[in-house]
Structures are given as C-alpha cells and as structure tokens.
Amino acid sequence: MTNHPHDLSLDGPWSFTTDPYERGEREAWFARTSGFGREVTVPAAWQLYGRDLRDYTGAAWYHREVEIPAAWQGQRLQLAFGACDYLTRAWLNGQFVGEHEGGFSPFLFDLTDAAVLGGLNHLVVRVYDPQDLAEVPHGSQGSHFTRVSGIWQGVRLVARPPEHLATVTPRAQLDPDRIEVAVGLAGEAAGLVLRVRVLDARGGEVAAARLGEPEVACKVVLEVPECHRWHPDDPYLYTVETALCDGADEPLDVTHHHVGVRGVAAIDGRLYLNGQPLLLRGAVDHGYWPGGLYAPPSDEEIQRELRLAKEAGLNVIRKHGKLEDPRWLDWCDRLGMLVWAELPACDRWTQAARKRFRRQLQEALLRDMHRPSLIAWSLHHAGRGLEEAGEHLQPWLRQLHDEATSLDPTRPICTHAGGTAMRTDLHDEHHRYVLPEESRQWTQSLNGDVPAAGAPRVVSEFGLWGLPASEPDDAGQEAWWLAPAAVASPDEARWPGTAEDSFERYKLAAVFETFDNLAKLTQRRLTRGLKGLVEELRRRPAFAGYVARSFADSEWEASGCLDFRRRPKLGFEDWASFNGPIALLAEIPRRNLWAGDTIAVRFYLSNHTRQALSGTLVWGIDGADCDGELEVSIAPYMTGPVGEVTLEVPALGRPQATRLAARVVSKGWELATNSFELTISPRSAGAVAGLAVACGEVSEGLRVALNNQGFAVEEAWEPGLTMVTESLTPAAWEALERGARVLFLAERGARAPETGYMSFRELPHGSAWARSTSVHYIQ
C-alpha cells in the first residue's frame, strides 16, 4: 500500500463508448473532449454497463475531465491502474502516455509532459479485449463464466517527487526472524537517504535501518527481535515504512506495507507453518460476485465471506485462475485466512502465450509476495492446454518453477494443479467422485501411489452440486448470470438457469411440491456427500490437505456451500464438524445394516492443533438402546485411531434411517462432535408382512435376495401381487394392463434389454464433473 500526500482518485463517472470496427485510433478519438456516449462508473467491467455489453468484445473508449492542482508543479505525475483487462492505451490532452498488456496486474503511465497544471485535462483510455482468449492469460472468465473487460479496479492520479520509490517489495523470513525490503529508485539518489522502519501493531518501532546515497536497486535487511509470528489463529501484522528522504531526513516519498512474519515449508510429504505441521482444509473460489463480477462489492462483504469460511472450519481458500483483488487479500492477511493463489492460464501455449504468461508471473509475485496469508502458488491449472501441447512444454514448466522459486523462495510452487506429474513442491490431485455412488472408487483413488518426489499430497478439487433457491431474490434483482446465454458450457443439463423449467417439464411438483423443496434436497445432498468424501480423506495422515469445490457458487456452477449471493445453503451449519481443526471420524464397514448384525466401528481423531487432546468419547444410536463411552487421547498435529467399539445392531421394529452420534468431551467442554448415517432393517421384512411378489426378468442375485428376506417369489403374475422386474418385458406390460403394480428396477439404465418409452442418460464412468452434478441429470 502506498500513501502519498498528492493522490487523487479518478473512480466515479466517466463517459464510455464501444468501437466494434476499431475506427477510434484512425479517427483520433484520443483527441476528443466529448462525444463518448453513455456515462458509466469506473471501476467496473463493461459487461455490467448494460445487457448489450455482456457479450461484447473488442475495443472500447473511456473519457473524463481531470483538474490537476497547480501545486503539483515540479512533481512527476503518474496515472495508476489497479487492473484493466486486457490491452490498455492512454492519452492525456491528445498526447500518448503509455500502453500496458495484461488483465490482472497494476501499472503506471507517466503524465508529466502532457499535463496542464492548474487547469482542465482530458484523459482518454482505450481498452481492447480480444474475442479469442486462447493465447491470453484469462483463467475461467470468458471460457466458463462471464467475461471481465475494461477498467475493473481503481484508477488514481499520483504526484511523486522526481526522485521517488519506484518499487518496494518486503519479504519476511524466519530463523532468524527478519524482514528484507527490496527497493528500486527512480531519479538521482545523490545526497538522499533511504530510511526503513518496522512498526508493531501499536505503531511502535521495533527495527530500523538508514542507508545513505542508496543505489538504484538495493536491499535492506532488518532483524525483528522477539518476533510475533503471523498465524491464521493470530494474524499479527507489522508495518514496513519505507521513506526516501533528503539530506535533512525530511521524507520526499513514503510507502507503507503490512507484513506478517511466518514461514511455510514443504518437507518429506508434509506442509509446515512456522515449523508446525499444517493440514490444508479448504475450498476453491473463483472470486465472482453478482454485482461486480471480479470486483467484491465492499470491504464489509469481503469480511463477511471470510468469516463464513472460518465458521465452516476452513483455513485456506484456493483462488481458481484469478489474481485476486488486493482488497480481498488485505482482509485475508488481517483476519487470518490462508490463500493458495493460481495464475490465470492460457488455452494454447504458443511462444506469444508463454511470453505473456511469464510476464504475468513476474508481475504477480512482485505485487503479492509480501502477503503472509498467501502460502502457495499454482502456475497452471489442469485442462488448460498443456496436455494437448505434449511433453515438449515440460522443460518450460520446469524452468517456470525454478524462476518462481528464485523470485519467491518463501512459498511452495505447484507447477501443474491436478495435471501431469513433473517438478513441483505440491502434488495436487483432482478426483471427481461422489458419495455414496462411488465410495469404492474414491477410496481407491486415495489409496493410490504416493508421489515419488516426496511432495506433500493434496486433493484440491472434488465435491458435488446443490441447486440455488429460486431467483430472483427479495429485492427483485435479475439473475442473468444463470441464463444459458451467460454460459460457455455446452452441457445444458448443468445450468441452474434451466432447472426451474425442467421442474415444470418433468412435472416434479408431484414429488417435491415446489422447486425450492427440490433445491434444498440437492443442497443437503451436497453437504452429506462432501462430508463423506472429506472424512475418508482426513483419516489418512499421508495427505497434507484438501480443497473442496467450491466455497461459493460462481454464476451457473452450483458447487458451493454458499450460493452466488453468499447465502449459506442448507447443511452449511454442519461443515465445521468435518472441516474444523479437530474432527471426530469413524470407520464403519457398512452403513445399511440388518437388525441383529454385529459390526466393529473404529473411531479416529484428526487433531490439527498445538495441544494434546484427551477426553471421553460418548456414542449412541438414535432411537435405540445402544450406547457407550470410551476414553480417548491424541497427540498434537496427529490423525489416528483412538478406539474401537462393537455394536450389536438393535431391532427398531421397522426399516428406518437413523444415525450413530458421537462426541468427545473433556472437563465439560465439547472438543468434537459428529454423526454418521445408518439404515436399519428387520431381517425378514417380507415374511413378517406376509408379502409375495412375482419376478419378471431379474438377476439370480436379486431373486436369492428376495427369498432370503422372506418374500414368497412367484414365477408368474397373479392378481394381488406386485411384479418386480429389471426390464420392461412384454410380460411386465401385460401385467400393467391387467392392473398390476410393477416395480421397475432401472439400475442397468440404457443397458436394460427393454425400457419402454423411457430414455436413460448414462453418466460417464470414473472421475468426472458429470457425476458430481448428477442431480441435474436425473431431473
């Protein structure tokens, strides 16, 4: 953060016009003083200026009048952009002042020679966002979600002395605790002094250095005695004040950066924060907002979002293909939320694309390497062109890894998130399985090969979908982001924007009454499925963490525990039980039980605190006389079994769903609580009820199972019987026509020999987003 006495915000009203035929530069629009069309507010992506601009790509022009104070005489005048997507050119009073390429990083243009001090100036900015982003670093915007174009972060006019601080990059290190400050100077430094101070949270000076006649590029190292280290539970920040002073030590130019002293390391398959083991408990976030796309609506909304993440037990957010707004990162530093940053990627890796990406990497590290909350970088996301490009790009990726490590040795570098194995500090896996349908496949994926290089192993994408409630909200805001026109995905079944139409088309009101009832059930399904996925992973101490997808919905992608407006979905209140630093887990061999069964349940504790834990584990099956206690204990930063109990499954009189509830208490405090769903059925439900069924075309296994449960199985249908079949054969149709009830078990779907006029869409086998979004397929 930079504070200057001469700093003028240019946020607010500008005039704006599109230039679809790129006539502007030929016709010298940069010399205009009016005639730029509609009035708009900057900063904002131009997609937010009106329905007609949501799909617009190409050139657009901005204009505003600026009155520059006469008192700024003798200063260097700079136009500072937070971020503008993608190619930016600017003119002041018709004079060209600069060009910048890139959509996420800050940049400056020098206006000194073109400015009229004490009078009115005309500032014109042209932004070009190409339609084809394949060779442009862009992340998910424009390919999955709404495009973000134009001036989407703030603009300022800054007056600096001729000799000033061009760059200031602090970086904290441990052992010994110190803060290094790399400084780049503009202008002649002869006779000047560089002064750097470290201030504690109360403003008291804890370290200082003074450097006479500094070089254009220099480094200052300050030891921090009795250092208060930054931690998510204690996000303590120091302030680094860097001042360029005259010979009398009067400041000419001053900057302030907040810094947290902390260390992150990846060693022998484990992650460490400040020398203590760290388990990443996180969620993916695309950083999209309904009213601002990439721009958060306010600092208050940022804080609310991060506090909800902490309530859910999360300690890390992985940003997906976006260099986040600095305001959001500032609050992560202040509130103690870890951030795993991921660079926006290209789709085709030509020489031009690689050049752009490397420049973006350098700008990103320079902007954010001082942030204590940022603990890891991902250079590339799976599925973004590298697989198609072949192995010849792997040397380039290894080179990028080494360059990033050289620029920022304080964080692990994940070279290829969820993709091909290569040199990396984090082994990042993506497994798109869902529970309960694919519990076996999920377990097999977790039991897979351990990375040979010993990099910490993290699963950073997995999860389910849960439909948002009816839109629009009470304020009547249009939910245009759910509409198919806003979506690049070719798979209509995944769009929440079509869900209400599907509800009507398939007459689901007969089952769910209202669409919101269906939405709530899918939300509960999301939490229940994710809970099982996380618990299975947390029982394995070999993993350094997990990152579920997602924390909040992003437009049409409904995988969040919050919807797009950051409203908690049904089941959100349960997230802390399996995501918190202490989690009580259970290994249960089967969840669908027969009365009288005997099963062994092994309990685990996952303790990711600095304290050893001991207490009493109290357990019981709801609605049954089946409970008990056992004493348990676990060391700090450990996950492991703490005890085993043998349950004799009680008879509950009728088949019903119940749960095994458990909690750990110590000295009156509840350390952890959890519950595990079960079904319990009487052994001979058919015989007790005196039921008989007629079997149509069924497998021998189903026939044996019906017999074992006491059903009298008849070969042919007779009045009064229910027919059970796995194929809609002529015999089944004949029984229907004679008034029979036919139970068609459609497990084989399209593979069944005869399905009548029912059509089945078979989901892909294995790990796939189609499975995690399967609720939309069964509509």
Side-chain angles (χ1 to χ4, degrees), residues 162-295:
E163 298 78 26
H164 58 268
L165 301 164
T167 60
V168 178
T169 308
R171 187 169 66 197
Q173 293 186 334
L174 300 186
D175 303 325
D177 296 330
R178 64 185 187 273
I179 296 174
E180 296 181 356
V181 185
V183 179
L185 302 179
E188 294 293 330
L192 300 183
V193 172
L194 181 66
R195 192 180 66 204
V196 183
R197 297 197 303 155
V198 178
L199 311 176
D200 64 19
R202 296 182 178 181
E205 182 181 293
V206 297
R210 186 177 184 278
L211 190 62
E213 297 200 0
E215 297 180 359
V216 173
C218 56
K219 181 183 292 186
V220 178
V221 180
L222 301 102
E223 303 288 339
V224 183
E226 300 180 0
C227 177
H228 192 147
R229 295 183 175 180
W230 187 96
H231 189 275
D233 297 332
D234 182 16
Y236 189 90
L237 296 173
Y238 290 96
T239 297
V240 175
E241 179 187 86
T242 307
L244 186 63
C245 307
D246 62 18
D249 267 10
E250 287 296 320
L252 303 174
D253 194 20
V254 182
T255 68
H256 294 87
H257 292 79
H258 65 251
V259 173
V261 180
R262 60 100 187 97
V264 179
I267 304 170
D268 295 333
R270 300 290 299 270
L271 278 172
Y272 294 86
L273 177 63
N274 298 336
Q276 300 295 333
L278 172 67
L279 178 74
L280 298 179
R281 312 183 311 272
V284 171
D285 189 56
H286 293 88
Y288 266 75
W289 299 80
L293 300 181
Y294 267 179

Side-chain angles (χ1 to χ4, degrees), residues 395-510:
W396 176 70
L397 275 172
R398 289 193 292 268
Q399 181 183 357
L400 271 187
H401 172 275
D402 294 344
E403 286 182 14
T405 301
S406 176
L407 288 169
D408 184 6
T410 67
R411 295 171 177 88
I413 308 296
C414 177
T415 309
H416 192 186
T420 308
M422 57 185 68
R423 183 183 303 169
T424 185
D425 302 327
L426 284 176
H427 183 84
D428 180 12
E429 305 174 15
H430 296 176
H431 295 304
R432 300 183 179 104
Y433 298 104
V434 297
L435 294 185
E437 299 96 315
E438 296 185 301
S439 59
R440 183 179 295 107
Q441 293 93 325
W442 174 246
T443 300
Q444 289 172 348
S445 72
L446 299 183
N447 293 337
D449 295 336
V450 177
R457 190 180 178 194
V458 179
V459 180
S460 80
E461 276 200 23
F462 62 99
L464 292 82
W465 280 36
L467 288 167
S470 296
E471 303 285 359
D473 65 7
D474 294 338
Q477 182 179 357
E478 179 193 10
W480 55 266
W481 53 82
L482 297 182
V487 183
S489 168
D491 188 355
E492 182 180 352
R494 299 173 71 179
W495 296 338
T498 65
E500 292 189 61
D501 290 341
S502 298
F503 186 85
E504 297 296 329
R505 183 185 312 137
Y506 299 119
K507 305 185 185 307
L508 295 180

Side-chain angles (χ1 to χ4, degrees), residues 371-394:
R371 298 188 177 279
S373 62
L374 202 159
I375 61 158
W377 291 100
S378 280
L379 301 185
H380 182 267
H381 187 80
R384 285 290 183 186
L386 282 183
E387 287 80 1
E388 294 81 2
E391 294 186 0
H392 73 279
L393 284 182
Q394 293 215 13

Side-chain angles (χ1 to χ4, degrees), residues 493-773:
R494 299 173 71 179
W495 296 338
T498 65
E500 292 189 61
D501 290 341
S502 298
F503 186 85
E504 297 296 329
R505 183 185 312 137
Y506 299 119
K507 305 185 185 307
L508 295 180
V511 180
F512 302 104
E513 295 187 356
T514 67
F515 174 78
D516 280 359
N517 285 344
L518 171 63
K520 289 176 181 177
L521 287 171
T522 67
Q523 293 174 15
R524 174 61 72 182
R525 174 182 182 269
L526 182 155
T527 299
R528 293 165 67 198
L530 191 66
K531 177 179 183 291
L533 293 166
V534 170
E535 289 174 346
E536 188 69 27
L537 189 150
R538 282 195 72 163
R539 287 196 294 107
R540 292 163 167 77
F543 283 89
Y546 57 89
V547 182
R549 181 166 179 156
S550 303
F551 182 57
D553 289 356
S554 293
E555 299 193 328
W556 56 271
E557 185 173 305
S559 57
C561 66
L562 310 179
D563 69 14
F564 193 32
R565 292 191 175 98
R566 278 31 178 203
R567 300 175 296 193
K569 293 181 181 177
L570 193 68
F572 175 79
E573 65 279 3
D574 296 331
W575 274 54
S577 68
F578 55 90
N579 284 316
I582 305 170
L584 174 60
L585 315 170
E587 184 179 13
I588 306 173
R590 288 181 292 112
R591 300 295 186 98
N592 300 311
L593 308 172
W594 297 110
D597 278 356
T598 299
I599 62 167
V601 176
R602 178 175 294 178
F603 288 103
Y604 289 72
L605 273 175
S606 179
N607 175 24
H608 286 273
T609 73
R610 65 188 71 186
Q611 303 295 328
L613 301 178
S614 60
T616 303
L617 191 156
V618 183
W619 59 270
I621 295 179
D622 286 357
D625 184 16
C626 183
D627 54 31
E629 298 181 356
L630 67 154
E631 297 304 308
V632 298
S633 62
I634 191 81
Y637 304 109
M638 290 292 292
T639 294
V642 293
E644 186 173 299
V645 298
T646 300
L647 305 182
E648 183 172 338
V649 180
L652 299 181
R654 59 182 177 81
Q656 61 182 279
T658 184
R659 64 183 190 132
L660 171 64
R663 58 195 176 98
V664 177
V665 294
S666 177
K667 299 177 181 178
W669 291 92
E670 188 171 84
L671 301 181
T673 183
N674 209 339
S675 63
F676 312 94
E677 296 182 42
L678 306 172
T679 64
I680 298 177
S681 302
R683 269 283 177 193
S684 300
V688 170
L691 295 179
V693 296
C695 277
E697 182 180 305
V698 298
S699 65
E700 185 61 28
L702 178 58
R703 189 182 300 272
V704 170
L706 289 169
N707 275 309
N708 287 343
Q709 294 311 310
F711 288 91
V713 177
E714 303 293 339
E715 294 301 322
W717 179 80
E718 297 291 341
L721 298 183
T722 294
M723 174 175 278
V724 180
T725 183
E726 292 179 309
S727 181
L728 291 179
T729 61
W733 285 111
E734 181 183 352
L736 273 172
E737 291 169 358
R738 293 173 63 189
R741 297 175 62 187
V742 175
L743 176 60
F744 173 33
L745 301 176
E747 181 71 21
R748 288 185 287 176
R751 290 170 292 148
E754 297 181 65
T755 60
Y757 295 103
M758 299 183 192
S759 60
F760 294 90
R761 181 171 184 175
E762 187 168 345
L763 294 173
H765 296 281
S767 172
W769 270 117
R771 285 199 171 274
S772 62
T773 60

